[in-house]
Amino acid sequence: MNTIPKIAVVGPESTGKSTMSEYLAAYYNTIAVPEYSREYCANLVGECTFQDEINMFHGQLALEKKLLPQANKILICDTTFLTVKIWSEEVFGHAPQEVLDELPRHPYNFYLLLDIDLPWQDDPLRNFPTKREYFMNVWHRELQALNANYTVISGLGQDRYDSAVRAVGNFLGC
């Protein structure tokens, strides 16, 4: 049984999840599991399908499993497959059953929910610039439904990073 704590960095679009994950991995001298869907979607031809969401779910889990042995005391995860549930429900009206089945079996020890207080950054892979508050509420509901241990990270610049380091340090007891 793996005893390495998994820290998930989650939140709506354009909240700095990838940058925060890389920062925390460097700070804690460990590895960050990148968001599988970014590369997957960048290579898509046409619209994302329900099957693509299932593929991203499997890809995220496989990437996490592959990188876990490289972790040093903690594993930082740039988002989780919970994103597949949220996006599938928003775009297709329902989530893949295998995602729903896996959620309670694949917990993360601690979540950092990044706040929407950062300015929106355009990106061809981002879709909902006017629904950030809506998705922030969705993330709260989803994490609460999982009974997840999480902290909201707000602030700009170094203050945001310092808040995340404090939250992770408090979680780790250091």
Side-chain angles (χ1 to χ4, degrees):
M1 179 83 182
N2 178 27
T3 59
I4 295 177
K6 295 185 296 183
I7 312 295
V9 181
V10 299
E13 295 176 305
S14 193
T15 54
K17 295 178 295 293
S18 297
T19 305
M20 180 64 76
S21 297
E22 292 165 9
Y23 180 87
L24 290 171
Y27 184 90
Y28 286 102
N29 190 31
T30 191
I31 190 151
V33 178
E35 181 183 8
Y36 180 82
S37 64
R38 283 204 62 82
E39 184 175 335
Y40 185 95
C41 290
N43 293 314
L44 268 181
V45 176
E47 295 294 315
C48 183
T49 67
F50 194 72
Q51 183 60 53
D52 288 320
E53 293 292 340
I54 293 169
N55 296 347
M56 287 184 270
F57 159 71
H58 288 291
Q60 189 69 43
L61 285 179
L63 188 56
E64 187 178 301
K65 184 177 180 180
K66 175 184 171 188
L67 295 177
L68 184 61
Q70 298 174 40
N72 177 26
K73 297 182 183 167
I74 62 172
L75 182 69
I76 307 295
C77 300
D78 178 0
T79 204
T80 71
F81 68 88
L82 180 54
T83 303
V84 171
K85 177 186 185 295
I86 292 170
W87 281 96
S88 294
E89 289 176 346
E90 180 66 22
V91 176
F92 301 107
H94 67 286
Q97 189 59 48
E98 57 205 286
V99 171
L100 299 176
D101 292 344
E102 188 63 26
L103 278 171
R105 294 191 300 247
H106 195 88
Y108 294 81
N109 302 88
F110 187 58
Y111 292 79
L112 299 177
L113 174 56
L114 301 191
D115 204 352
I116 56 173
D117 54 347
L118 289 182
W120 176 265
Q121 297 290 318
D122 280 329
D123 180 318
L125 298 178
R126 293 184 180 142
N127 299 306
F128 299 108
T130 62
K131 294 181 83 171
R132 295 173 85 201
E133 189 172 331
Y134 165 79
F135 280 111
M136 189 68 178
N137 290 328
V138 169
W139 274 102
H140 276 290
R141 280 195 311 272
E142 292 293 340
L143 292 173
Q144 290 164 2
L146 290 172
N147 200 27
N149 182 7
Y150 77 98
T151 297
V152 175
I153 302 299
S154 302
L156 301 175
Q158 192 61 45
D159 288 342
R160 192 177 191 89
Y161 297 118
D162 292 345
S163 293
V165 167
R166 270 193 309 279
V168 172
N170 288 340
F171 166 74
L172 296 172
C174 54

